[in-house]
Structure formats: structure tokens, C-alpha cells
Amino acid sequence: MNTDSEKRPLLGMTIEELQSVVTELAMPKFTASQIAQWIYEKRVTSIESMTNLSKQNREKLSLHYTVGRKSPAGEARSKDGTAKYLFEVAGGKMVESVYIPDNDRGNERATLCVSSQVGCKMGCRFCMTGKQGFHGNLTANEIINQIFSIPEAERLTNIVYMGMGEPTDNLDEVLKTVRMMTEKWGLAWSPKRITVSTIGAIPGLQRLLRETHVHIAISVHSPFHDERKELMPIEAAFPVSKVMELLRGYDFAHQRRLSVEYIMWRGVNDDDNHADALASLLKGTSARVNLIRFHAIPGVALNTSDEKRMTAFRDYLNSKGVLCTIRRSRGEDIMAACGMLAGKKLK
Ligand code: SF4
């Protein structure tokens, strides 16, 4: 028999992959749906618990497969209720997920921000994950396990792919997990409960638009080509003006939401000139803008804009007809806020 670490995880397999598993093991085809139901809907953690499979089939399955759930290796809790979880992935590397409980005008929300890569290739100047460099893609199992294995898993109402990594750079695995969340054989969530955030690599963005109905968030941070290129090297290959051109041609009706993330740096991108250019850039899209405070990270000479400037920037955009809000910072005391994730060992 294989040891547990040599067995393949079932969690993270699509229905088609589960069908291949049961075919390979000469089990009836409908067993794939039963396994999917045990893993995704009933959330079992052992093959032994799949009681409508015959004992013989459970034993056969257990020889080469495991459910593949893995608890967090560490956690830190913020005084504001946010929790950061550390997960060990292949090669002993670490990634982080951030749990954010919230009360949105009387509606209890519980959002998990998940990671899709260990580190990141994109090298954005202001980002702690980018500073680490790239250390590998997560598998669908390693992504979906974050969603299933935090203590608050059954309370989650929303998922955002905004943790470590650029989702479009590991899109096959990310898309599989979106299917697990939204299809009938998985959790059957509405795609409106999921947001994928990207810096706007166009081919990946096109696939996201074509193959899913999730909300899309684009990290813009500057409306000016040269300035954005300094902050985000991706601008050289995929200028944000082209990204918006693509999005303008796409129908965002049916409640699919487009948002723009805009981190505000004092004296860099926070004056009315930027607000004007941003409003022009977004013309003809239905994008709403989230203004984000910058959380200082070591070795980066950028400072956050103050409250007064952020409010003025927001009001200016609103006066131009662009829906704009300031995002409340969460989990800064545990290094869990936007741009602060680095997969460091936690206590
Ligand atoms: Fe990567 Fe996103 Fe950080 Fe840029 S901001 S380096 S895309 S994780």
C-alpha cells in the first residue's frame, strides 16, 4: 500500500477526473458522483466515511487515494476578528489565507482570501509577495483545501482570489477550483459569491470572462502608462488601457461585477490629475473603484495617502459619475492586510 504522502488527493478533482479514477479502478461510473458528494457537499475527511460505497470499493480507493484535507499549520488572529492561516504545500513551502468576518449593513459576511501561488512572478514594487519571487504554482487541491480546512469553513459566504500569487498565471488550477465551488457536483455556490482579482494579463482575463461568471477585480493603481510600468512591470506587456478596452467590449450585465483596485500612495497617485485620468480610463465600463490604504512594507519607499486625501479622491470620482468607496483595512496588526502576505511561519 502507498503511504499517505504518496496517495493522490481526491479533494481538488473535477467530476471528470473522479470519473477517470473510478474507471481505472473498475468501479461503476455513478461512484464518481457519490465521491464528489462526499467530498464537496458532505465534506468528509476520510474515505472510510463514504458509507454508500461498498467496503471493497472503499478499500480499493484507499490503496492509491486519500481525501487530501490538510489543516492549517499555523494561525494568527487580529483584534478586528480577521484571522490569517498558514498552509504547508508541496516541498514544505508555505502560503497564507485570510479570513475576514464582516457585517455589511446587517448582512453577516465571511470572506476568505485565498492564495493561488507560492510567491509571485509579477514583481509589483509595492507587494510583499512580489518581493519574495516565485516559488511554484499551487495545485487545485492546495487551493481548495484552504477553503475547506479553516475552522470557519462552513461559515464562509464569499471567496476572493486575492491572496499570494497572480491567479491568471496559474489559471488551469484556479478555474478547476471555481468549478468545484460553483457546479452542482461541487458546492453549487452562485458565482456572484466569488471574485478573482488580477493585474490584467489579457489572455488569462479573456479566459476568465469566457469560462466563468465570477466577479472580476482589476488592480490598476495608476492610470498612467509610464508610472504604472514603474509600479507594476506587467504594464509593459499588457497596458491597462488595453485591458479596459477589452472590458468595455464585454457585457457586464447579469449582475457580474467589475471592480478596480487602487492603492493610494501619498504624492504618487493621489491627486486630482490621477482621479481625472482614472475616470477617463474607466469611461464606458461599469467598474466601481475600491480605494485601498497602503500598508508599509520593509524596504519600500512608498507611503499611504492620508484619510483627507483619500476622501477627497473618492468624492472627486463620485462627482464624475464613477462609483468609488474606500476599503476598510483589515488585519494589519497580523500582517494580513492587502499586499502584506509573505507565507512566513506563524506562532
Ligand atoms: Fe503578484 Fe499581486 Fe503582488 Fe503583483 S500585487 S506581485 S501580481 S501578488
Side-chain angles (χ1 to χ4, degrees), residues 299-322:
V300 175
L302 288 165
N303 299 299
T304 190
S305 306
D306 60 32
E307 288 302 312
K308 210 169 138 208
R309 185 78 290 267
M310 288 183 78
T311 308
F313 198 92
R314 177 198 65 194
D315 293 347
Y316 192 91
L317 280 176
N318 282 336
S319 75
K320 297 250 163 201
V322 178

Short mmCIF file of all heavy atoms in Angstrom, two decimals, residues 299-322:
data_model
loop_
_atom_site.label_atom_id
_atom_site.label_comp_id
_atom_site.label_asym_id
_atom_site.label_seq_id
_atom_site.Cartn_x
_atom_site.Cartn_y
_atom_site.Cartn_z
N GLY A 299 11.64 48.13 3.21
CA GLY A 299 12.43 48.35 2.00
C GLY A 299 11.67 49.00 0.86
O GLY A 299 12.18 49.05 -0.26
N VAL A 300 10.46 49.47 1.10
CA VAL A 300 9.69 50.11 0.02
C VAL A 300 9.39 51.56 0.41
O VAL A 300 8.72 51.82 1.41
CB VAL A 300 8.36 49.35 -0.25
CG1 VAL A 300 7.52 50.08 -1.29
CG2 VAL A 300 8.67 47.94 -0.73
N ALA A 301 9.91 52.48 -0.42
CA ALA A 301 9.79 53.91 -0.07
C ALA A 301 8.48 54.48 -0.61
O ALA A 301 8.47 55.37 -1.45
CB ALA A 301 10.99 54.66 -0.64
N LEU A 302 7.37 53.91 -0.16
CA LEU A 302 6.05 54.44 -0.53
C LEU A 302 5.26 54.62 0.76
O LEU A 302 5.38 53.81 1.69
CB LEU A 302 5.31 53.44 -1.43
CG LEU A 302 5.82 53.26 -2.86
CD1 LEU A 302 5.23 52.01 -3.49
CD2 LEU A 302 5.49 54.48 -3.72
N ASN A 303 4.47 55.67 0.80
CA ASN A 303 3.66 55.93 2.00
C ASN A 303 2.20 56.04 1.61
O ASN A 303 1.87 56.50 0.51
CB ASN A 303 4.08 57.26 2.65
CG ASN A 303 5.53 57.20 3.08
OD1 ASN A 303 5.90 56.37 3.90
ND2 ASN A 303 6.35 58.05 2.48
N THR A 304 1.34 55.66 2.53
CA THR A 304 -0.08 55.73 2.22
C THR A 304 -0.56 57.19 2.19
O THR A 304 -0.02 58.05 2.90
CB THR A 304 -0.92 54.90 3.22
OG1 THR A 304 -2.24 54.84 2.72
CG2 THR A 304 -0.93 55.52 4.61
N SER A 305 -1.57 57.44 1.40
CA SER A 305 -2.21 58.76 1.42
C SER A 305 -2.96 58.90 2.74
O SER A 305 -3.36 57.89 3.34
CB SER A 305 -3.22 58.87 0.28
OG SER A 305 -2.62 58.55 -0.93
N ASP A 306 -3.19 60.16 3.18
CA ASP A 306 -3.93 60.31 4.43
C ASP A 306 -5.45 60.26 4.15
O ASP A 306 -5.89 60.29 3.01
CB ASP A 306 -3.51 61.56 5.19
CG ASP A 306 -3.75 62.83 4.38
OD1 ASP A 306 -4.71 62.85 3.58
OD2 ASP A 306 -2.97 63.79 4.53
N GLU A 307 -6.19 60.16 5.25
CA GLU A 307 -7.65 59.99 5.15
C GLU A 307 -8.30 61.11 4.34
O GLU A 307 -9.18 60.88 3.53
CB GLU A 307 -8.29 60.00 6.56
CG GLU A 307 -8.02 58.76 7.37
CD GLU A 307 -8.50 57.49 6.69
OE1 GLU A 307 -9.65 57.43 6.19
OE2 GLU A 307 -7.68 56.57 6.62
N LYS A 308 -7.81 62.35 4.63
CA LYS A 308 -8.43 63.51 4.00
C LYS A 308 -8.28 63.43 2.47
O LYS A 308 -9.22 63.66 1.72
CB LYS A 308 -7.73 64.77 4.53
CG LYS A 308 -8.62 65.97 4.57
CD LYS A 308 -7.98 67.10 5.35
CE LYS A 308 -8.25 68.38 4.58
NZ LYS A 308 -7.25 69.39 4.78
N ARG A 309 -7.08 63.07 2.02
CA ARG A 309 -6.81 62.98 0.58
C ARG A 309 -7.63 61.85 -0.05
O ARG A 309 -8.17 61.97 -1.14
CB ARG A 309 -5.30 62.76 0.37
CG ARG A 309 -4.84 62.76 -1.05
CD ARG A 309 -4.69 64.13 -1.72
NE ARG A 309 -5.84 64.91 -2.04
CZ ARG A 309 -6.50 64.92 -3.21
NH1 ARG A 309 -6.15 64.13 -4.18
NH2 ARG A 309 -7.51 65.71 -3.41
N MET A 310 -7.72 60.72 0.68
CA MET A 310 -8.48 59.59 0.13
C MET A 310 -9.96 59.96 0.00
O MET A 310 -10.60 59.63 -1.00
CB MET A 310 -8.32 58.35 1.03
CG MET A 310 -6.94 57.75 0.92
SD MET A 310 -6.73 56.24 1.88
CE MET A 310 -7.54 55.02 0.87
N THR A 311 -10.46 60.65 1.00
CA THR A 311 -11.87 61.06 0.95
C THR A 311 -12.09 62.02 -0.22
O THR A 311 -13.08 61.89 -0.96
CB THR A 311 -12.28 61.73 2.28
OG1 THR A 311 -11.90 60.83 3.32
CG2 THR A 311 -13.76 62.00 2.36
N ALA A 312 -11.16 62.97 -0.39
CA ALA A 312 -11.31 63.94 -1.48
C ALA A 312 -11.25 63.22 -2.84
O ALA A 312 -12.01 63.53 -3.76
CB ALA A 312 -10.20 64.99 -1.38
N PHE A 313 -10.35 62.26 -2.97
CA PHE A 313 -10.19 61.49 -4.21
C PHE A 313 -11.49 60.72 -4.50
O PHE A 313 -12.00 60.71 -5.63
CB PHE A 313 -9.01 60.52 -4.03
CG PHE A 313 -8.44 59.95 -5.30
CD1 PHE A 313 -7.38 60.57 -5.95
CD2 PHE A 313 -8.93 58.76 -5.83
CE1 PHE A 313 -6.82 60.02 -7.11
CE2 PHE A 313 -8.38 58.21 -6.99
CZ PHE A 313 -7.32 58.84 -7.63
N ARG A 314 -12.01 60.10 -3.44
CA ARG A 314 -13.27 59.35 -3.60
C ARG A 314 -14.40 60.28 -4.05
O ARG A 314 -15.12 59.98 -5.01
CB ARG A 314 -13.65 58.70 -2.26
CG ARG A 314 -14.98 57.96 -2.31
CD ARG A 314 -15.54 57.71 -0.93
NE ARG A 314 -15.87 58.96 -0.27
CZ ARG A 314 -16.12 59.08 1.04
NH1 ARG A 314 -16.07 58.03 1.81
NH2 ARG A 314 -16.42 60.25 1.55
N ASP A 315 -14.51 61.42 -3.36
CA ASP A 315 -15.61 62.34 -3.68
C ASP A 315 -15.48 62.88 -5.10
O ASP A 315 -16.47 63.04 -5.81
CB ASP A 315 -15.65 63.50 -2.67
CG ASP A 315 -16.03 63.00 -1.28
OD1 ASP A 315 -16.50 61.84 -1.18
OD2 ASP A 315 -15.83 63.75 -0.30
N TYR A 316 -14.23 63.13 -5.50
CA TYR A 316 -13.99 63.63 -6.85
C TYR A 316 -14.47 62.61 -7.90
O TYR A 316 -15.17 62.94 -8.85
CB TYR A 316 -12.50 63.92 -7.02
CG TYR A 316 -12.14 64.71 -8.26
CD1 TYR A 316 -12.08 66.11 -8.22
CD2 TYR A 316 -11.87 64.07 -9.46
CE1 TYR A 316 -11.76 66.84 -9.36
CE2 TYR A 316 -11.55 64.79 -10.60
CZ TYR A 316 -11.49 66.17 -10.56
OH TYR A 316 -11.18 66.90 -11.67
N LEU A 317 -14.08 61.34 -7.67
CA LEU A 317 -14.50 60.29 -8.62
C LEU A 317 -16.03 60.14 -8.61
O LEU A 317 -16.65 60.03 -9.67
CB LEU A 317 -13.85 58.95 -8.27
CG LEU A 317 -12.41 58.78 -8.74
CD1 LEU A 317 -11.84 57.45 -8.24
CD2 LEU A 317 -12.30 58.80 -10.27
N ASN A 318 -16.61 60.16 -7.43
CA ASN A 318 -18.08 60.05 -7.36
C ASN A 318 -18.73 61.20 -8.13
O ASN A 318 -19.73 61.00 -8.83
CB ASN A 318 -18.55 60.05 -5.90
CG ASN A 318 -18.35 58.68 -5.25
OD1 ASN A 318 -18.29 57.66 -5.93
ND2 ASN A 318 -18.20 58.65 -3.95
N SER A 319 -18.14 62.41 -8.01
CA SER A 319 -18.74 63.57 -8.71
C SER A 319 -18.62 63.41 -10.23
O SER A 319 -19.36 64.02 -10.98
CB SER A 319 -18.06 64.87 -8.26
OG SER A 319 -16.79 64.96 -8.87
N LYS A 320 -17.66 62.57 -10.67
CA LYS A 320 -17.51 62.33 -12.11
C LYS A 320 -18.36 61.14 -12.56
O LYS A 320 -18.21 60.62 -13.68
CB LYS A 320 -16.05 61.99 -12.43
CG LYS A 320 -15.09 63.11 -12.13
CD LYS A 320 -14.57 63.67 -13.42
CE LYS A 320 -13.96 65.03 -13.21
NZ LYS A 320 -13.88 65.80 -14.42
N GLY A 321 -19.17 60.61 -11.64
CA GLY A 321 -20.06 59.51 -12.00
C GLY A 321 -19.42 58.14 -11.86
O GLY A 321 -19.97 57.14 -12.32
N VAL A 322 -18.21 58.08 -11.23
CA VAL A 322 -17.57 56.77 -11.01
C VAL A 322 -17.86 56.35 -9.58
O VAL A 322 -17.49 57.06 -8.63
CB VAL A 322 -16.04 56.86 -11.23
CG1 VAL A 322 -15.38 55.51 -10.96
CG2 VAL A 322 -15.71 57.35 -12.63
#
